[in-house]
Amino acid sequence: MFHLRTCATKLRPLTASQTVKTFSQNRPAAARTFGQIRCYTAPVAAEPFLSGTSSNYVEFMFINDLEQCQWIRRKFETPGVMQFTNEEKRTLLARLVRSTRFEEFLQRKWSSEKRFGLEGCEVLIPALKTIIDKSSENGVDQVIMGMPHRGRLNVLANVIRKELEQIFCQFDSKLEAADEGSGDVKYHLGMYHRRINRVTDRNITLSLVANPSHLEAADPVVMGKTKAEQFYCGDTEGKKVMAILLHGDAAFAGQGIVYETFHLSDLPSYTTHGTVHVVVNNQIGFTTDPRMARSSPYPTDVARVVNAPIFHVNSDDPEAVMYVCKVAAEWRNTFHKDVVVDLVCYRRNGHNEMDEPMFTQPLMYKQIRKQKPVLQKYAELLVAQGVVNQPEYEEEISKYDKICEEAFARSKDEKILHIKHWLDSPWPGFFTLDGQPRSMTCPSTGLEEEVLTHIGSVASSVPVENFTIHGGLSRILKTRGELVKNRTVDWALAEYMAFGSLLKEGIHIRLSGQDVERGTFSHRHHVLHDQNVDKKTCIPMNHLWPNQAPYTVCNSSLSEYGVLGFELGFAMASPNALVLWEAQFGDFHNTAQCIIDQFICPGQAKWVRQNGIVLLLPHGMEGMGPEHSSARPERFLQMCNDDPDVLPNLQEDNFDISQLYDCNWVVVNCSTPGNFFHVLRRQILLPFRKPLIVFTPKSLLRHPEARTSFDEMLPGTHFQRVIPEDGPAAQNPENVKRLLFCTGKVYYDLTRERKARDMVEQVAITRIEQLSPFPFDLLLQEVQKYPNADLAWCQEEHKNQGYYDYVKPRLRTTINRAKPVWYAGRDPAAAPATGNKKTHLTELQRLLDTAFDLDAFKNFS
């Protein structure tokens, strides 16, 4: 029986005169009757479902859509709706057998290994299969899933159908991994599999996204990948591709990323047209009781913010679970909105198989020890009903046990582990060309001048008629037109040309983040707004070429963690797309640190999964205070996987490309618009994919010297990893007394100061544009070019921040420690920047004085 209800706690039938005690107050009760089921408005304290009674509830009355409410009522109030045929009951029993015996087999073979088994919620496997079956029946042919570690191996084995021997191999500590990378524990790995759905006899593709231990972190990644798959197959209503997210009760209530993900669910550029959420409600979080883990009555209350119906169902009632899962799949197919299935269950063991739960929940686990497993309960019920007999039930068990034993025997023949067998996002055809591995080279990233001119003309105009733009924007477009006429680009125009040229080549581009349509600094203006007609917009980038790829630019919600995870997932789906996330200010990435630390930085090493996502992080000391100044480059550089003390083989063919292939991500700080143009195009033209971290400028967006000529963007030109000195100092290198290395905006402060001091022949300035992988080869050439110069690194950031700790040891390795590398910059500090403008300018002048005082370091020699 299901109770329809409006509140968020377990309900009992009440009379209008009764009062009940809630967690903190007394509240009068009321009840209304709908058909055979009562809908309650009065809560009582939630209590565990360990008794095995069928207590099932539906939350929906907070939904403010009458049609949706009436739909739910019909599903649960119509007499006889929850009827199953004998064949359906036998199928359910067989699925419970597989779910239960799989865990028991692992426990017998590897009793001392962590596996985060599903005992206590074995009904999850038939529940997921029911959702998939019903969705397949409704036309879905691809399901993308995300889940935590509990029950993951069981889902891989019995839902996605990964070969059992490959799972069993993961328990063999003697096998070594054959693939590149460091790998991950078995209960974090993902999988991609296309197979026949036996219920519907239709092909279906199942993908389980790999995830770290950080609970719920994979949620937005799954949503982004789902959105991408829908986009690439033209599924504008989510009828072909869908997502299923699994959660634990404590994490669902406790992790803020759940709320962020829910709030993406109905946004135009982020919606996946409904996700089915399944909560494995163990009624405990590790060792923490629910009363200590959340303030809301139920862990699923967060879903109410998006009007998602919530089905609370007793997991010891398998038929009720199956019915609810069918309804959840039908809801998603009908309304294309999120829905939550709360499987109220228990955890038979501790947090893992080695953990002792009696330390902290003795009474709860005494009760759990008395609980019959759900398989035993359901089998006894079906035997009593005459649906199956005892020998048939035992034969089903023996059949699956034999399957496991045979797979275990085959696993003994395996000699190595293949991480690539667990890949969740394969890119067929990308890594080969005509059947052969792609060449480790990168073509020129330059363009023909007529292409540059055409893109520039569109960027400086309104390509539709009867469209009135803002007067200030008219001036911006006019300035762009003048730049094009003079064969030069600024930062915004360089980005426009990189994007536009890739669109011409069939590369989809997606730029996402807070205020990216206009740009935080009002420099981009990729979406034009009619000043007289509400919501009338124009995206000139989509009017460049007749058969171009689409350009998606979308302002995100005020979220970093969720949106960056979403874009990472979007980038997973295809290598033939440039997916960029721009932080409003560079330091805002720190609220998305989990995605950076657990997915972007080590993703290929852990999961053999390449990703070409681009992070645009505005960075620079502008005297605007400690916030919004630093994108924290030191953090990204610290996580680079190269060895500062080892000089690589500089004679290797295509050394620069080999470096890129071996690195875990690429970190750049461009000082010119042209180099920014080249690095964006290189990101797609490379024969592999790596994350790209770009520290983008703020004041340089309009700096009169931050311009690039078309000549530096024509065919034959490339991204410059290092921009060497090209002034008078380079003409007479023997006379140079100091060689300054720097990166980014400080270069313009240095050149201005050098000119003011008339030291253009004494001081050479070399810009390191690509910080990682470190350009050992080019910097060695620079040092050798100036034999009489001392070496100094100059940065505007504080000494314990920025680039110094990364650059110094690598420069020393480059020159075989023949010379010291001095430092010119701000002193160490706790905050990224001062909040006082005068102090900011004083610090800047001090570092410039140090950089150009040729006697500054003599006392330290």
Side-chain angles (χ1 to χ4, degrees):
M1 179 178 180
F2 278 85
H3 297 289
L4 305 185
R5 63 197 194 79
T6 64
C7 54
T9 50
K10 184 179 174 182
L11 301 172
R12 300 190 187 99
L14 302 166
T15 67
S17 61
Q18 286 180 299
T19 58
V20 292
K21 189 173 183 180
T22 64
F23 292 107
S24 60
Q25 61 185 334
N26 291 327
R27 190 176 301 168
R32 291 193 298 161
T33 300
F34 297 102
Q36 292 185 327
I37 310 299
R38 304 190 91 190
C39 175
Y40 298 95
T41 60
V44 296
E47 55 191 57
F49 288 79
L50 293 178
S51 64
T53 59
S54 181
S55 303
N56 305 307
Y57 303 96
V58 181
E59 283 188 80
F60 74 102
M61 291 299 288
F62 54 84
I63 297 175
N64 54 13
D65 185 295
L66 181 59
E67 178 191 359
Q68 295 175 11
C69 290
Q70 297 288 26
W71 187 92
I72 293 174
R73 287 180 179 126
R74 288 192 297 272
K75 291 295 179 182
F76 290 96
E77 292 186 342
T78 304
V81 290
M82 206 175 78
Q83 297 295 325
F84 291 84
T85 66
N86 286 349
E87 183 59 32
E88 289 173 327
K89 291 181 179 181
R90 283 191 287 268
T91 298
L92 174 52
L93 179 66
R95 289 173 170 179
L96 276 175
V97 165
R98 286 174 172 260
S99 175
T100 304
R101 299 299 290 181
F102 176 81
E103 298 293 355
E104 292 177 359
F105 182 84
L106 295 184
Q107 181 62 24
R108 287 198 306 273
K109 297 295 184 182
W110 298 280
S111 59
S112 60
E113 282 274 349
K114 290 182 183 179
R115 55 184 166 83
F116 294 96
L118 201 52
E119 291 93 337
C121 194
E122 293 91 345
V123 77
L124 175 66
I125 300 305
L128 291 176
K129 292 175 79 69
T130 299
I131 294 170
I132 293 169
D133 291 346
K134 191 64 181 178
S135 299
S136 176
E137 180 183 309
N138 291 330
V140 170
D141 56 26
Q142 184 170 1
V143 178
I144 299 165
M145 301 170 60
M147 68 177 297
H149 41 283
R150 187 166 310 286
R152 190 180 192 90
L153 297 180
N154 208 324
V155 170
L156 285 165
N158 290 312
V159 177
I160 301 185
R161 298 285 180 83
K162 184 166 185 65
E163 294 90 339
L164 291 177
E165 53 265 39
Q166 289 189 19
I167 295 176
F168 298 158
C169 281
Q170 292 290 322
F171 288 90
D172 191 339
S173 60
K174 298 177 182 178
L175 296 183
E176 295 184 3
D179 309 293
E180 60 186 42
S182 53
D184 200 353
V185 292
K186 49 190 168 291
Y187 39 81
H188 287 171
L189 299 176
M191 175 64 180
Y192 176 96
H193 189 206
R194 185 163 179 82
R195 63 174 176 83
I196 291 288
N197 182 286
R198 295 174 182 173
V199 173
T200 62
D201 201 32
R202 297 180 71 248
N203 277 320
I204 191 160
T205 299
L206 302 175
S207 177
L208 178 62
V209 173
N211 68 278
S213 282
H214 296 62
L215 297 174
E216 308 294 345
D219 293 359
V221 180
V222 170
M223 306 313 296
K225 179 173 166 56
T226 303
K227 181 67 174 179
E229 298 291 357
Q230 291 174 348
F231 177 84
Y232 293 126
C233 72
D235 183 15
T236 58
E237 296 180 347
K239 293 183 177 180
K240 297 293 184 183
V241 184
M242 68 172 289
I244 300 176
L245 285 177
L246 280 69
H247 314 269
D249 53 317
F252 199 63
Q255 292 292 322
I257 188 59
V258 175
Y259 186 85
E260 290 189 38
T261 304
F262 267 118
H263 271 285
L264 297 177
S265 65
D266 204 29
L267 301 182
S269 297
Y270 301 86
T271 180
T272 58
H273 309 285
T275 297
V276 179
H277 300 264
V278 180
V279 179
V280 177
N281 188 349
N282 295 313
Q283 306 177 82
I284 189 173
F286 205 152
T287 66
T288 304
D289 290 328
R291 64 180 180 271
M292 303 299 181
R294 62 177 185 266
S295 296
S296 62
Y298 265 73
T300 51
D301 287 341
V302 65
R304 294 161 66 102
V305 300
V306 293
N307 283 338
I310 304 166
F311 304 133
H312 304 277
V313 58
N314 186 352
S315 63
D316 271 2
D317 185 351
E319 291 181 10
V321 172
M322 297 312 103
Y323 182 72
V324 159
C325 289
K326 286 182 180 180
V327 173
E330 290 174 1
W331 166 275
R332 193 247 171 214
N333 181 66
T334 303
F335 298 106
H336 304 290
K337 294 174 69 69
D338 285 28
V339 58
V340 178
V341 176
D342 180 21
L343 297 179
V344 185
C345 58
Y346 58 92
R347 190 188 66 194
R348 186 165 290 276
N349 300 312
H351 176 65
N352 60 63
E353 288 68 30
M354 303 294 100
D355 192 46
E356 176 51 75
M358 293 285 283
F359 287 146
T360 50
Q361 278 78 28
L363 298 183
M364 182 181 190
Y365 273 85
K366 285 179 182 178
Q367 182 67 36
I368 288 174
R369 297 288 186 260
K370 300 174 184 177
Q371 286 285 106
K372 282 185 181 180
V374 64
L375 172 61
Q376 183 181 344
K377 286 184 179 182
Y378 193 57
E380 291 173 354
L381 175 63
L382 295 194
V383 170
Q385 291 177 350
V387 176
V388 298
N389 55 44
Q390 190 67 25
E392 289 174 330
Y393 167 56
E394 293 174 356
E395 181 183 356
E396 190 69 32
I397 291 177
S398 298
K399 183 170 67 174
Y400 187 68
D401 286 352
K402 182 181 179 183
I403 291 173
C404 290
E405 288 291 352
E406 290 174 349
F408 178 70
R410 290 194 300 273
S411 72
K412 295 295 185 180
D413 296 331
E414 295 290 337
K415 305 301 181 185
I416 53 177
L417 292 175
H418 290 285
I419 303 173
K420 63 185 179 184
H421 289 168
W422 301 76
L423 190 61
D424 55 17
S425 301
W427 292 339
F430 174 69
F431 297 103
T432 58
L433 187 64
D434 297 328
Q436 299 296 320
R438 294 178 65 179
S439 172
M440 284 293 115
T441 59
C442 182
S444 167
T445 47
L447 297 171
E448 297 289 345
E449 183 155 349
E450 53 266 32
V451 175
L452 297 174
T453 303
H454 172 70
I455 298 173
S457 66
V458 174
S460 55
S461 62
V462 181
V464 295
E465 297 180 353
N466 301 318
F467 195 97
T468 305
I469 62 173
H470 190 276
L473 184 55
S474 297
R475 291 189 293 273
I476 292 174
L477 298 186
K478 182 180 178 182
T479 300
R480 285 182 183 174
E482 292 171 353
L483 285 171
V484 175
K485 184 178 179 180
N486 294 325
R487 301 180 67 252
T488 58
V489 297
D490 63 3
W491 221 273
L493 201 50
E495 179 185 75
Y496 215 109
M497 290 180 173
F499 287 2
S501 60
L502 292 172
L503 293 173
K504 183 178 187 291
E505 296 163 16
I507 301 299
H508 168 58
I509 297 177
R510 178 182 169 94
L511 173 62
S512 167
Q514 295 158 20
D515 310 297
V516 297
E517 295 178 5
R518 191 202 75 171
T520 300
F521 311 103
S522 196
H523 68 289
R524 181 172 288 125
H525 296 285
H526 283 188
V527 179
L528 310 182
H529 294 258
D530 193 296
Q531 298 297 295
N532 300 321
V533 182
D534 187 34
K535 299 180 181 177
K536 183 180 179 181
T537 60
C538 171
I539 303 177
M541 195 88 75
N542 280 325
H543 296 265
L544 285 167
W545 321 98
N547 299 309
Q548 68 172 71
Y551 174 51
T552 303
V553 55
C554 43
N555 289 341
S556 73
S557 66
L558 201 65
S559 156
E560 290 84 27
Y561 189 171
V563 173
L564 179 55
F566 188 98
E567 302 308 331
L568 175 75
F570 200 104
M572 283 168 52
S574 172
N576 298 314
L578 184 65
V579 180
L580 309 96
W581 176 77
E582 182 175 69
Q584 191 179 68
F585 289 90
D587 53 341
F588 286 1
H589 77 75
N590 57 19
T591 58
Q593 201 69 44
C594 180
I595 299 297
I596 294 169
D597 289 355
Q598 313 307 135
F599 289 88
I600 300 177
C601 171
Q604 184 175 356
K606 292 197 294 186
W607 305 315
V608 199
R609 181 175 74 193
Q610 293 192 15
N611 196 295
I613 191 170
V614 179
L615 273 61
L616 304 179
L617 306 177
H619 171 83
M621 308 293 114
E622 316 280 6
M624 294 294 106
E627 273 65 65
H628 308 337
S629 291
S630 176
R632 294 290 189 175
E634 66 275 5
R635 295 181 180 173
F636 291 94
L637 293 172
Q638 184 188 42
M639 290 189 284
C640 295
N641 65 349
D642 61 329
D643 191 331
D645 302 319
V646 176
L647 186 68
N649 179 13
L650 305 184
Q651 309 306 316
E652 183 181 357
D653 292 341
N654 300 307
F655 170 74
D656 55 334
I657 306 300
S658 296
Q659 268 196 311
L660 291 170
Y661 183 81
D662 292 335
C663 75
N664 61 317
W665 57 16
V666 183
V667 181
V668 303
N669 187 8
C670 301
S671 62
T672 70
N675 232 15
F676 182 52
F677 160 87
H678 283 295
V679 80
L680 290 177
R681 285 187 47 79
R682 185 185 73 171
Q683 185 70 356
I684 288 296
L685 295 180
L686 286 170
F688 47 82
R689 294 290 175 263
K690 299 285 179 174
L692 172 63
I693 314 300
V694 185
F695 301 117
T696 56
K698 295 176 289 184
S699 62
L700 291 192
L701 295 173
R702 295 176 176 84
H703 197 293
E705 295 179 29
R707 300 285 187 269
T708 296
S709 167
F710 278 12
D711 293 334
E712 298 175 51
M713 302 165 67
L714 296 177
T717 57
H718 296 264
F719 171 73
Q720 292 180 272
R721 294 177 291 144
V722 170
I723 301 180
E725 171 67 52
D726 62 356
Q731 308 307 316
N732 296 287
E734 294 81 6
N735 297 331
V736 171
K737 302 300 182 184
R738 175 163 296 165
L739 173 58
L740 288 175
F741 295 100
C742 68
T743 187
K745 179 180 75 70
V746 74
Y747 167 76
Y748 294 92
D749 296 318
L750 291 171
T751 55
R752 185 189 69 247
E753 186 72 13
R754 181 176 64 174
K755 182 178 180 181
R757 293 174 181 248
D758 194 22
M759 299 179 70
V760 293
E761 295 184 354
Q762 295 172 282
V763 178
I765 304 174
T766 294
R767 286 169 275 176
I768 303 179
E769 303 281 291
Q770 177 179 292
L771 292 144
S772 180
F774 196 70
F776 290 97
D777 52 336
L778 300 181
L779 292 177
L780 180 60
Q781 295 175 18
E782 285 296 289
V783 172
Q784 292 173 341
K785 184 176 181 179
Y786 303 99
N788 301 317
D790 59 20
L791 310 179
W793 171 259
C794 183
Q795 65 178 35
E796 59 179 356
E797 296 82 5
H798 290 281
K799 189 174 184 179
N800 60 324
Q801 301 165 29
Y803 320 91
Y804 178 62
D805 286 338
Y806 177 85
V807 169
K808 180 179 178 179
R810 288 163 179 80
L811 266 179
R812 294 272 289 158
T813 297
T814 302
I815 60 175
N816 198 24
R817 297 168 179 78
K819 292 181 178 181
V821 177
W822 304 110
Y823 171 77
R826 286 180 166 88
D827 293 335
T834 178
N836 183 279
K837 184 72 172 182
K838 182 178 180 181
T839 303
H840 164 77
L841 295 174
T842 300
E843 291 174 344
L844 175 61
Q845 190 56 53
R846 187 183 299 131
L847 75 86
L848 293 174
D849 290 343
T850 303
F852 290 101
D853 182 356
L854 299 182
D855 296 324
F857 306 123
K858 287 185 177 179
N859 294 332
F860 301 100
S861 299

